[in-house]
Amino acid sequence: MSLFDYLDERENEETGDEPVSGPLSVSDLTLRIKEVFEQIFAEVWVVGEISNLSRPRSGHLYLTLKDDGAQLPAVVWKTVASKVRFEPKDGLVVVCRGRIDVYPPHGKYQLIVSQLEPKGIGALELAFRQLHAKLNAEGLFEPAKKRPIPRWVKTVAVITSPSGAAVRDFLQVLGRRTRRVDVRIVPVKVQGDGSAEEIAAAIRLVNRLRLADCIVVTRGGGSAEDLWAFNEEVLVRAIAVSEIPTISAVGHEVDLTLCDLAADLRALTPSEAAERIAVEDAQLSERLVQIRRFLQDSLTKRIRLANERLRFFENQPAFARPLRLIEDRRRGIDVLEQSLDRSIQRKMEQGEARLAKLSAALEALSPLGVLARGYSLTQNAAGEVIRSFEQVRTGDTIRTRLAEGTIESEVRAVDESR
């Protein structure tokens, strides 16, 4: 039976009329085909490879499912696309559930997808791998970026559900070990829509207000879907950029989330997280006793060494008879002073003898010495010593210097004879 015969029979069954004769309009035919498709293919499962994937701003996904023999246009409306955990990409083989719909304006049929799953691997597992590869390429999980948890935690911010078993286990273990750590519970949703954003906002709040010196993000075990909030990109990035060191304690030992990889420390359980940040009071007391003994031994040793040094210095002459050293130095100064006086006296005597010798030699050469023996020194008006008659004229005034005194004379005559 052809499709047209099927359509005619369907119409006759509903109206009880005879088959319609004559041609149908394009719109009528398309609407009848649409009705048939929607009834026959109200729910189908299709396997195909994604191609021609597009993501307009509307949030819808438009794609083509293909295999070796055919192609099928498909659309994933925004409400469904927002719940898809993994990242659809061209070339990915997927399994789709949906219904066949005919779009009359274009006369084309397409698959309206209500569920989208990767073939051969779970959607959550694929989403985990895709996001892990992306964030790992950015270096968010690098061990070099891990910060040490404070050795002595004073205040811890526990971001979790206040009614969950995780917070009870954490507080119970912490309370058994110590009473020194202040705990600030930051209540959040730990699963469901919006939980990842809420936990990330709590981490940013603790950092902005500096509410603690350590953060613990925790919840109890559950299914992969229950723990999925701790694999959301917004939360993983918030943990990676937190200035306060973070501990991730999500689920059980076998559970691994991206938050565990981004945190500075992963605790297998909430109880272990409490153990990692709290030194037992008994252990601390023992440590303090050890420190006290060490300090006592160190002080005793230093005092003993100080006493030994003191006794050593007591036996030194400078400390045993301090005035003697001063007296020795004073006597040395006296000796130096006497030696200096003698040296100065000797130098003066030598100087006086030399001076006398030089004076005698100078005296012998001095014109005054010649004058003292009866000679005189005559100078003309210009102060020149007169050695020849040619240096004076009749009427000139001349000055004669004797051993004692000076005589001025006037030249009355010049005799050229010798």
Side-chain angles (χ1 to χ4, degrees):
M1 178 185 297
S2 67
L3 178 60
F4 296 104
D5 294 335
Y6 176 82
L7 293 176
D8 289 337
E9 287 186 3
R10 292 287 297 170
E11 183 175 9
N12 291 336
E13 290 176 0
E14 294 177 359
T15 61
D17 298 334
E18 294 297 325
V20 177
S21 60
L24 297 172
S25 67
V26 175
S27 296
D28 289 340
L29 179 58
T30 302
L31 289 175
R32 291 188 180 190
I33 294 174
K34 176 179 176 67
E35 179 183 357
V36 172
F37 274 31
E38 291 178 351
Q39 290 181 2
I40 296 178
F41 303 107
E43 182 177 16
V44 294
W45 288 87
V46 181
V47 178
E49 178 185 332
I50 295 177
S51 65
N52 301 323
L53 178 67
S54 63
R55 302 170 179 269
R57 292 185 178 181
S58 62
H60 309 315
L61 296 180
Y62 296 94
L63 54 97
T64 299
L65 296 174
K66 67 177 183 178
D67 57 19
D68 294 337
Q71 296 184 356
L72 173 64
V75 59
V76 184
W77 301 126
K78 178 180 179 180
T79 54
V80 177
S82 62
K83 298 178 181 179
V84 176
R85 299 295 188 182
F86 66 97
E87 186 73 15
K89 296 181 179 180
D90 286 344
L92 182 66
V93 178
V94 294
V95 179
C96 301
R97 185 183 71 173
R99 58 183 177 85
I100 297 296
D101 179 60
V102 177
Y103 186 56
H106 292 169
K108 295 181 179 180
Y109 68 91
Q110 61 185 356
L111 177 67
I112 306 299
V113 179
S114 59
Q115 183 177 345
L116 185 64
E117 298 287 343
K119 183 181 179 182
I121 185 174
L124 295 182
E125 178 65 20
L126 178 59
F128 182 92
R129 295 182 183 181
Q130 289 176 336
L131 185 56
H132 177 273
K134 173 184 176 181
L135 299 181
N136 188 53
E138 296 181 20
L140 266 66
F141 307 137
E142 287 292 333
K145 294 184 177 181
K146 307 297 184 182
R147 291 151 300 184
I149 304 301
R151 182 69 178 88
W152 308 105
V153 176
K154 297 179 180 179
T155 305
V156 58
V158 182
I159 301 177
T160 188
S161 170
S163 60
V167 68
R168 293 195 298 271
D169 294 344
F170 180 88
L171 293 176
Q172 185 179 19
V173 173
L174 186 67
R176 285 201 309 263
R177 294 176 66 85
T178 182
R179 298 292 182 179
R180 297 173 295 97
V181 179
D182 293 333
V183 180
R184 294 177 176 173
I185 305 297
V186 183
V188 293
K189 292 193 306 181
V190 292
Q191 71 181 69
D193 294 338
S195 55
E197 290 78 6
E198 191 171 327
I199 300 172
I203 293 174
R204 291 191 292 268
L205 176 66
V206 173
N207 275 268
R208 185 170 65 253
L209 300 181
R210 306 302 298 181
L211 297 178
D213 48 14
C214 180
I215 295 175
V216 174
V217 179
T218 184
R219 68 148 288 161
S223 64
E225 290 78 7
D226 293 338
L227 302 179
W228 186 253
F230 298 89
N231 290 316
E232 294 282 359
E233 182 174 357
V234 62
L235 177 52
V236 178
R237 291 189 181 278
I239 290 178
V241 301
S242 173
E243 296 180 0
I244 299 176
T246 58
I247 299 176
S248 177
V250 178
H252 301 301
E253 296 183 15
V254 296
D255 298 318
L256 178 65
T257 66
L258 295 180
C259 285
D260 295 331
L261 301 178
D264 298 303
L265 175 67
R266 181 203 176 195
L268 299 179
T269 61
S271 298
E272 185 186 357
E275 294 174 355
R276 299 297 293 269
I277 68 171
V279 179
E280 288 186 279
D281 288 344
Q283 181 181 352
L284 179 61
S285 298
E286 181 180 353
R287 178 58 177 165
L288 290 176
V289 170
Q290 293 175 352
I291 294 174
R292 184 178 64 183
R293 290 174 180 171
F294 173 78
L295 292 176
Q296 288 177 341
D297 294 342
S298 298
L299 290 175
T300 301
K301 182 177 180 180
R302 294 188 65 178
I303 292 172
R304 185 177 66 255
L305 292 175
N307 287 330
E308 292 177 355
R309 294 185 64 187
L310 181 59
R311 286 193 296 271
F312 171 78
F313 287 119
E314 285 178 348
N315 296 326
Q316 297 300 310
F319 292 94
R321 296 177 297 278
L323 294 180
R324 180 177 178 180
L325 180 61
I326 296 175
E327 292 172 355
D328 292 342
R329 293 292 185 267
R330 183 175 295 170
R331 282 195 296 269
I333 293 174
D334 292 339
V335 172
L336 290 175
E337 184 180 4
Q338 294 173 1
S339 175
L340 181 61
D341 289 342
R342 288 194 297 270
S343 177
I344 293 174
Q345 183 65 29
R346 186 168 53 254
K347 290 291 184 181
M348 290 182 64
E349 293 174 353
Q350 292 174 354
E352 289 176 352
R354 185 179 180 187
L355 179 60
K357 183 177 180 181
L358 292 175
S359 297
L362 182 62
E363 184 69 22
L365 297 175
S366 173
L368 298 178
V370 178
L371 295 178
R373 294 195 296 272
Y375 293 92
S376 65
L377 181 65
T378 303
Q379 297 172 307
N380 59 17
E384 299 174 347
V385 176
I386 299 174
R387 294 183 175 84
S388 172
F389 64 90
E390 294 179 350
Q391 293 180 259
V392 296
R393 298 286 184 271
T394 302
D396 288 348
T397 300
I398 60 176
R399 177 177 294 176
T400 302
R401 183 173 181 180
L402 306 174
E404 295 182 0
T406 302
I407 300 174
E408 287 188 3
S409 307
E410 182 180 342
V411 178
R412 297 181 65 179
V414 176
D415 186 1
E416 297 181 2
S417 62
R418 293 185 180 273

